[in-house]
Amino acid sequence: MPQQFLQKTATTILTLVVLCFASVSHAHDAGATMDPEGNIASFTGYAQVTCFNDGNGPANRLVASVQDTSLPQANLLVNLQIIKGASAISTTDPVSGDGAFSPEVSVAGGEGVYLLLVNKTGPGPRSFIVSYHCMTADNAHTGTDIKVNQFQ
């Protein structure tokens, strides 16, 4: 593999890991740049978020949203999907670079592992931030861990 590709991949993974550990008000944020060269229209990031009782109560659901931090480009948006068992939902940041997140979505799948996917709608690089957190039925933040499986 070319050295430049390996360096970019390592940098992207490190960025995701560092951002996953940075939390504000019990929310978790992770971000990176999809497809820095802009030639993989089907670029997809895939992570597993584990929701668990960390003493605040059992997890009821995973809540997430995505923010496209790139400059606006026609017909190029960032999407986020949450999947657990037979339930799935998606959201899209409708305006790139405006500083606002997409509408928040959630899947009420209880404790366990949720699949979190991020993709883009066409060729071109996209920088993004995902905000994700596990919540109890009483709306308290509870245990939230992430493992990035693919960032292609």
Side-chain angles (χ1 to χ4, degrees):
M1 296 185 131
Q3 183 68 16
Q4 184 179 18
F5 174 77
L6 291 174
Q7 287 175 333
K8 286 183 180 181
T9 301
T11 300
T12 300
I13 290 170
L14 181 60
T15 300
L16 281 171
V17 170
V18 169
L19 289 172
C20 288
F21 288 106
S23 64
V24 179
S25 301
H26 299 291
H28 300 271
D29 294 332
T33 300
M34 288 187 277
D35 189 18
E37 271 75 51
N39 54 13
I40 305 172
S42 62
F43 190 100
T44 301
Y46 160 50
Q48 293 175 299
V49 176
T50 303
C51 294
F52 59 95
N53 185 344
D54 66 354
N56 288 332
N60 170 265
R61 67 191 176 283
L62 175 63
V63 179
S65 58
V66 66
Q67 179 184 25
D68 184 343
T69 59
S70 304
L71 294 175
Q73 185 174 339
N75 302 314
L76 186 53
L77 301 171
V78 176
N79 305 309
L80 170 84
Q81 299 85 37
I82 302 172
I83 305 166
K84 180 151 192 241
S87 299
I89 197 162
S90 67
T91 187
T92 301
D93 183 354
V95 181
S96 305
D98 68 348
F101 278 84
S102 68
E104 193 173 76
V105 294
S106 68
V107 170
E111 295 193 348
V113 177
Y114 292 75
L115 307 179
L116 190 68
L117 302 169
V118 179
N119 67 316
K120 58 193 180 92
T121 59
R126 292 279 78 171
S127 295
F128 69 95
I129 299 170
V130 173
S131 177
Y132 61 96
H133 41 268
C134 299
M135 303 297 292
T136 68
D138 295 329
N139 293 320
H141 186 274
T142 195
T144 308
D145 282 334
I146 191 168
K147 175 187 172 195
V148 177
N149 291 330
Q150 171 183 305
F151 198 76
Q152 160 231 359

